[in-house]
Amino acid sequence: MVGPNRFFEDAARVAGGAVDSLAGLRREAEVLVRHQMDRILSNMDLVTRDEFEAVKKMATQARLENESLASRLGEIENQLSTSPKKITSSKKSTTPKSKSSGKGRSKK
């Protein structure tokens, strides 16, 4: 009985050593892959998360300002579309008087 126990103990030690070796290889492979990815990404001219968030915030503010200016422009256009009728009616009443005065012709 001493023989089989000894055999299983040795097999367990070998298996444990193999698992430790594989874990070490795994860690080493992760470090190498991470290093390669960092090198590749640094060559790609990518932005950081902070830069991205700052530009995203600026774009949101610009969009809101654009919408505000568009609504203000619409209000001004509405005011102008109603105002010229009043102005043209007052111009028409004054325009014939100036033409009827007969003071010279306009030069072209």
Side-chain angles (χ1 to χ4, degrees):
M1 273 203 53
V2 173
N5 271 342
R6 177 92 172 148
F7 173 76
F8 288 123
E9 288 174 8
D10 288 342
R13 272 192 225 118
V14 169
V19 169
D20 288 341
S21 296
L22 290 176
L25 286 174
R26 177 177 173 258
R27 283 189 298 269
E28 189 174 332
E30 284 178 354
V31 168
L32 288 174
V33 168
R34 182 172 289 126
H35 177 69
Q36 281 289 78
M37 291 300 295
D38 287 342
R39 190 175 61 83
I40 291 169
L41 291 175
S42 68
N43 291 334
M44 292 180 73
D45 195 28
L46 299 174
V47 298
T48 63
R49 182 56 136 180
D50 293 335
E51 291 171 335
F52 175 79
E53 291 297 328
V55 171
K56 184 179 174 183
K57 183 178 178 181
M58 288 171 40
T60 302
Q61 289 174 345
R63 185 180 310 119
L64 292 173
E65 183 179 356
N66 188 13
E67 290 171 357
S68 172
L69 291 173
S71 68
R72 284 181 56 198
L73 179 62
E75 291 172 5
I76 292 171
E77 287 175 340
N78 286 337
Q79 289 175 357
L80 288 177
S81 67
T82 57
S83 296
K85 293 177 184 177
K86 294 177 184 176
I87 293 171
T88 55
S89 64
S90 63
K91 282 185 179 179
K92 287 181 182 178
S93 64
T94 58
T95 307
K97 291 179 184 176
S98 64
K99 285 185 179 179
S100 64
S101 66
K103 292 186 178 182
R105 295 185 180 183
S106 63
K107 294 181 183 179
K108 290 185 180 180

